Amino acid sequence: MSTKKAIFSTCVLTSLIFGLSACALQDSYYKNNDLNRTAHKVMLNDIWLLEGIRGETITLTSDTERPRLEIQLANMRIVGTDGCNSYFASIHFVDEEKIQFGPIASTRRYCAEMAISDSFNLQMNQIKMYQVENLKLRLFNESGDEVLQFQKAD
């Protein structure tokens, strides 16, 4: 009878140890996953300078300023310039690969050269996803097409 109790106790103890180990591993997974998400958002939260629109490198003239995007995750908003006018919007949603902006509002100055500004604004209103890698921010539309590419400013 005592041998059966010893075997039963050993089985219960072994099950308990394996069960707790699994919980610890699962807890570790979620903590590491949260750290990865946090690190990803820290990289996104910055000032970005436009390099290209739809795969084409932009060429600035003496009349144009480089478009800039500042992502402020603490305030859940974006601000910047399209090369002529200042703009701002709220961020409705962001995770490690998707981002959704609210309506984008901007000033309405006249600038001699509006081609880059107009194209930039058109693309900004289509952004649904992003990717940060090697100090580059790539923004994608709903179809997964890269529409804007930025370089980290600092």
Side-chain angles (χ1 to χ4, degrees):
M1 198 71 161
S2 66
T3 304
K4 287 183 182 180
K5 283 185 182 179
I7 292 173
F8 178 74
S9 296
T10 303
C11 288
V12 169
L13 186 59
T14 303
S15 298
L16 184 61
I17 289 170
F18 283 123
L20 291 175
S21 296
C23 289
L25 288 174
Q26 186 177 15
D27 188 44
S28 173
Y29 167 78
Y30 286 117
K31 284 181 183 174
N32 287 337
N33 213 13
D34 288 343
L35 287 174
N36 287 338
R37 279 188 215 129
T38 300
H40 204 73
K41 286 184 179 178
V42 166
M43 289 190 314
L44 179 63
N45 190 70
D46 215 321
I47 299 171
W48 301 93
L49 302 175
L50 185 69
E51 287 190 326
I53 299 175
R54 291 203 159 267
E56 298 288 326
T57 301
I58 62 167
T59 304
L60 300 175
T61 65
S62 60
D63 294 333
T64 56
E65 180 183 338
R66 182 172 299 278
R68 184 181 73 248
L69 168 65
E70 182 175 346
I71 300 174
Q72 302 173 350
L73 292 178
N75 300 326
M76 290 297 281
R77 67 184 218 149
I78 60 169
V79 297
T81 177
D82 64 11
C84 176
N85 289 287
S86 298
Y87 67 88
F88 59 93
S90 62
I91 299 173
H92 285 192
F93 176 81
V94 64
D95 67 12
E96 49 279 342
E97 63 183 34
K98 294 180 183 174
I99 193 162
Q100 182 180 10
F101 305 135
I104 298 175
S106 69
T107 58
R108 292 287 178 199
R109 286 186 12 208
Y110 170 77
C111 295
E113 177 56 48
M114 293 294 293
I116 291 174
S117 297
D118 290 342
S119 183
F120 177 81
N121 289 322
L122 179 68
Q123 302 310 318
M124 281 295 288
N125 284 299
Q126 298 179 25
I127 302 305
K128 299 293 181 197
M129 297 174 278
Y130 73 95
Q131 183 180 65
V132 178
E133 188 174 52
N134 298 326
L135 304 178
K136 302 258 188 215
L137 170 64
R138 297 172 39 198
L139 299 177
F140 304 89
N141 63 17
E142 194 166 24
S143 301
D145 302 320
E146 181 182 317
V147 294
L148 296 171
Q149 183 180 35
F150 296 85
Q151 172 71 40
K152 191 174 183 317
D154 40 38

Coordinates of all heavy atoms in Angstrom, one line a residue, residues 20-59:
L20 N 3.6 23.7 -13.6 CA 4.2 25.1 -13.2 C 5.2 25.5 -14.2 O 5.3 26.7 -14.5 CB 4.7 25.0 -11.8 CG 3.7 24.9 -10.7 CD1 4.4 24.7 -9.4 CD2 2.7 26.0 -10.7
S21 N 6.1 24.6 -14.7 CA 7.1 25.0 -15.7 C 6.4 25.5 -17.0 O 6.9 26.5 -17.6 CB 7.9 23.7 -16.1 OG 8.6 23.3 -14.9
A22 N 5.4 24.9 -17.4 CA 4.6 25.3 -18.6 C 4.1 26.7 -18.4 O 4.2 27.6 -19.3 CB 3.5 24.4 -19.0
C23 N 3.5 27.0 -17.2 CA 3.0 28.3 -16.9 C 4.1 29.4 -16.9 O 4.0 30.5 -17.4 CB 2.3 28.3 -15.5 SG 0.8 27.4 -15.5
A24 N 5.3 29.0 -16.3 CA 6.4 29.9 -16.3 C 6.9 30.2 -17.7 O 7.2 31.3 -18.1 CB 7.6 29.3 -15.5
L25 N 7.0 29.2 -18.6 CA 7.4 29.4 -20.0 C 6.4 30.3 -20.7 O 6.7 31.2 -21.5 CB 7.5 28.1 -20.7 CG 8.7 27.2 -20.3 CD1 8.7 25.9 -21.0 CD2 10.0 27.9 -20.7
Q26 N 5.1 30.1 -20.5 CA 4.1 30.9 -21.1 C 4.2 32.3 -20.6 O 4.1 33.2 -21.4 CB 2.7 30.3 -20.8 CG 1.6 31.0 -21.6 CD 0.2 30.4 -21.3 OE1 0.1 29.6 -20.4 NE2 -0.7 30.7 -22.1
D27 N 4.4 32.5 -19.3 CA 4.5 33.9 -18.8 C 5.7 34.5 -19.4 O 5.7 35.7 -19.8 CB 4.6 33.8 -17.3 CG 4.5 35.2 -16.6 OD1 3.7 36.0 -17.1 OD2 5.4 35.4 -15.7
S28 N 6.8 33.8 -19.5 CA 8.0 34.4 -20.2 C 7.8 34.8 -21.6 O 8.2 35.8 -22.1 CB 9.1 33.3 -20.1 OG 10.3 33.8 -20.8
Y29 N 7.0 33.9 -22.3 CA 6.7 34.2 -23.7 C 5.9 35.6 -23.8 O 6.3 36.4 -24.6 CB 5.8 33.1 -24.3 CG 5.2 33.5 -25.7 CD1 6.0 33.5 -26.8 CD2 3.9 33.9 -25.7 CE1 5.4 33.9 -28.0 CE2 3.3 34.3 -26.9 CZ 4.1 34.3 -28.1 OH 3.5 34.7 -29.3
Y30 N 4.9 35.7 -23.0 CA 4.1 37.0 -23.0 C 5.0 38.2 -22.6 O 4.8 39.2 -23.2 CB 2.9 36.8 -22.2 CG 1.8 36.0 -22.8 CD1 1.4 34.8 -22.2 CD2 1.3 36.3 -24.0 CE1 0.5 34.0 -22.8 CE2 0.3 35.5 -24.7 CZ 0.0 34.3 -24.0 OH -1.0 33.5 -24.7
K31 N 5.8 38.0 -21.6 CA 6.7 39.2 -21.2 C 7.6 39.6 -22.3 O 7.8 40.7 -22.6 CB 7.4 38.8 -19.9 CG 6.6 38.9 -18.7 CD 7.4 38.6 -17.5 CE 6.5 38.5 -16.2 NZ 7.2 38.1 -15.1
N32 N 8.2 38.6 -23.0 CA 9.2 38.8 -24.1 C 8.4 39.4 -25.3 O 8.9 40.3 -25.9 CB 9.9 37.6 -24.5 CG 11.0 37.2 -23.5 OD1 11.4 38.0 -22.7 ND2 11.3 35.9 -23.5
N33 N 7.2 39.0 -25.5 CA 6.4 39.5 -26.6 C 6.0 40.9 -26.3 O 6.1 41.8 -27.2 CB 5.1 38.6 -26.8 CG 4.7 38.5 -28.2 OD1 5.4 38.9 -29.1 ND2 3.5 38.0 -28.5
D34 N 5.7 41.3 -25.1 CA 5.4 42.6 -24.7 C 6.6 43.5 -24.9 O 6.5 44.7 -25.4 CB 4.9 42.7 -23.3 CG 3.5 42.2 -23.1 OD1 2.7 42.0 -24.1 OD2 3.1 41.9 -22.0
L35 N 7.8 43.0 -24.5 CA 9.0 43.8 -24.7 C 9.3 44.0 -26.2 O 9.7 45.1 -26.6 CB 10.2 43.0 -24.1 CG 10.3 43.0 -22.6 CD1 11.4 42.1 -22.1 CD2 10.4 44.4 -22.0
N36 N 9.0 43.0 -27.0 CA 9.2 43.2 -28.5 C 8.3 44.3 -29.0 O 8.7 45.1 -29.8 CB 9.0 41.9 -29.2 CG 10.2 40.9 -29.0 OD1 11.3 41.3 -28.7 ND2 9.9 39.6 -29.2
R37 N 7.0 44.2 -28.6 CA 6.1 45.2 -29.0 C 6.5 46.6 -28.6 O 6.4 47.6 -29.3 CB 4.7 44.9 -28.5 CG 4.0 43.9 -29.3 CD 2.5 43.7 -28.8 NE 2.2 42.4 -28.9 CZ 1.7 41.6 -28.0 NH1 1.3 42.1 -26.9 NH2 1.4 40.3 -28.2
T38 N 6.9 46.7 -27.3 CA 7.4 48.0 -26.8 C 8.6 48.5 -27.6 O 8.6 49.7 -28.0 CB 7.7 47.9 -25.3 OG1 6.5 47.4 -24.6 CG2 8.2 49.2 -24.7
A39 N 9.6 47.7 -27.8 CA 10.8 48.1 -28.5 C 10.4 48.5 -30.0 O 10.9 49.5 -30.5 CB 11.8 46.9 -28.6
H40 N 9.5 47.8 -30.6 CA 9.0 48.2 -31.9 C 8.4 49.6 -31.9 O 8.7 50.4 -32.8 CB 8.0 47.1 -32.4 CG 7.9 47.0 -33.9 ND1 8.9 46.5 -34.7 CD2 7.0 47.5 -34.7 CE1 8.6 46.6 -35.9 NE2 7.4 47.1 -36.0
K41 N 7.6 49.9 -31.0 CA 6.9 51.2 -30.9 C 7.9 52.3 -30.6 O 7.8 53.4 -31.1 CB 5.8 51.1 -29.9 CG 4.6 50.4 -30.4 CD 3.4 50.4 -29.4 CE 2.2 49.7 -29.9 NZ 1.1 49.7 -29.0
V42 N 8.9 52.0 -29.7 CA 10.0 52.9 -29.4 C 10.7 53.3 -30.7 O 11.0 54.5 -31.0 CB 11.0 52.4 -28.4 CG1 12.2 53.3 -28.3 CG2 10.3 52.3 -27.0
M43 N 11.0 52.4 -31.6 CA 11.6 52.7 -32.9 C 10.7 53.5 -33.8 O 11.2 54.4 -34.5 CB 12.0 51.4 -33.6 CG 13.1 50.6 -32.9 SD 13.8 49.2 -33.9 CE 12.3 48.4 -34.5
L44 N 9.4 53.3 -33.8 CA 8.5 54.0 -34.6 C 8.3 55.4 -34.1 O 8.2 56.4 -34.9 CB 7.1 53.3 -34.6 CG 6.0 53.9 -35.4 CD1 6.3 53.9 -36.9 CD2 4.7 53.1 -35.1
N45 N 8.4 55.6 -32.8 CA 8.2 56.9 -32.2 C 9.4 57.9 -32.5 O 10.3 57.9 -31.7 CB 7.9 56.7 -30.7 CG 7.5 58.0 -30.0 OD1 6.3 58.4 -30.2 ND2 8.3 58.6 -29.2
D46 N 9.3 58.6 -33.6 CA 10.5 59.4 -33.9 C 10.1 60.4 -35.0 O 9.0 60.5 -35.4 CB 11.6 58.5 -34.4 CG 13.0 59.0 -34.0 OD1 13.2 60.2 -34.0 OD2 13.9 58.2 -33.7
I47 N 11.2 61.1 -35.5 CA 11.0 62.0 -36.6 C 11.6 61.4 -37.8 O 12.7 60.8 -37.8 CB 11.7 63.4 -36.3 CG1 11.1 64.0 -35.1 CG2 11.6 64.3 -37.6 CD1 11.8 65.3 -34.6
W48 N 10.9 61.4 -38.9 CA 11.2 60.7 -40.2 C 11.3 61.6 -41.3 O 10.4 62.5 -41.5 CB 10.3 59.5 -40.4 CG 10.2 58.5 -39.3 CD1 9.3 58.5 -38.3 CD2 11.0 57.4 -39.1 NE1 9.6 57.5 -37.4 CE2 10.6 56.8 -37.9 CE3 12.1 56.9 -39.8 CZ2 11.3 55.6 -37.5 CZ3 12.7 55.7 -39.4 CH2 12.3 55.1 -38.2
L49 N 12.3 61.5 -42.2 CA 12.4 62.4 -43.4 C 12.1 61.6 -44.6 O 12.7 60.5 -44.8 CB 13.8 63.0 -43.5 CG 14.3 63.8 -42.2 CD1 15.7 64.2 -42.4 CD2 13.4 65.0 -42.1
L50 N 11.3 62.1 -45.5 CA 10.8 61.4 -46.7 C 12.0 61.2 -47.6 O 12.7 62.1 -47.9 CB 9.7 62.2 -47.4 CG 9.1 61.4 -48.6 CD1 8.3 60.2 -48.1 CD2 8.2 62.4 -49.4
E51 N 12.1 60.0 -48.1 CA 13.1 59.6 -49.1 C 12.5 59.3 -50.5 O 13.0 59.6 -51.5 CB 14.0 58.4 -48.7 CG 14.9 58.7 -47.6 CD 15.9 57.6 -47.4 OE1 15.5 56.4 -47.6 OE2 17.0 57.9 -47.0
G52 N 11.3 58.6 -50.4 CA 10.7 58.2 -51.7 C 9.2 58.0 -51.6 O 8.6 57.8 -50.6
I53 N 8.6 58.2 -52.8 CA 7.2 58.0 -52.9 C 6.9 56.9 -54.0 O 7.4 57.1 -55.1 CB 6.5 59.3 -53.4 CG1 6.7 60.4 -52.3 CG2 5.0 59.1 -53.6 CD1 6.2 61.8 -52.7
R54 N 6.2 55.9 -53.6 CA 5.9 54.8 -54.5 C 7.2 54.2 -55.3 O 7.2 54.0 -56.5 CB 4.9 55.1 -55.5 CG 3.5 55.3 -54.9 CD 2.4 55.1 -55.9 NE 1.2 54.7 -55.2 CZ 0.7 53.5 -55.0 NH1 1.4 52.5 -55.4 NH2 -0.4 53.3 -54.4
G55 N 8.3 54.1 -54.5 CA 9.5 53.5 -55.1 C 10.4 54.5 -55.8 O 11.5 54.1 -56.2
E56 N 10.0 55.7 -56.0 CA 10.8 56.7 -56.7 C 11.4 57.7 -55.7 O 10.7 58.2 -54.8 CB 9.9 57.6 -57.6 CG 9.2 56.8 -58.7 CD 10.2 56.3 -59.8 OE1 11.1 57.1 -60.1 OE2 10.0 55.2 -60.3
T57 N 12.7 57.8 -55.7 CA 13.4 58.8 -54.8 C 13.0 60.2 -55.2 O 12.9 60.5 -56.4 CB 14.9 58.6 -55.0 OG1 15.3 57.3 -54.8 CG2 15.7 59.6 -54.1
I58 N 12.7 60.9 -54.1 CA 12.2 62.3 -54.4 C 13.4 63.2 -54.7 O 14.5 63.0 -54.2 CB 11.4 62.9 -53.2 CG1 12.2 63.0 -51.9 CG2 10.1 62.1 -53.0 CD1 11.6 63.9 -50.9
T59 N 13.2 64.2 -55.6 CA 14.2 65.2 -55.9 C 13.7 66.5 -55.5 O 12.7 67.0 -56.0 CB 14.5 65.1 -57.5 OG1 14.8 63.8 -57.8 CG2 15.6 66.1 -57.8

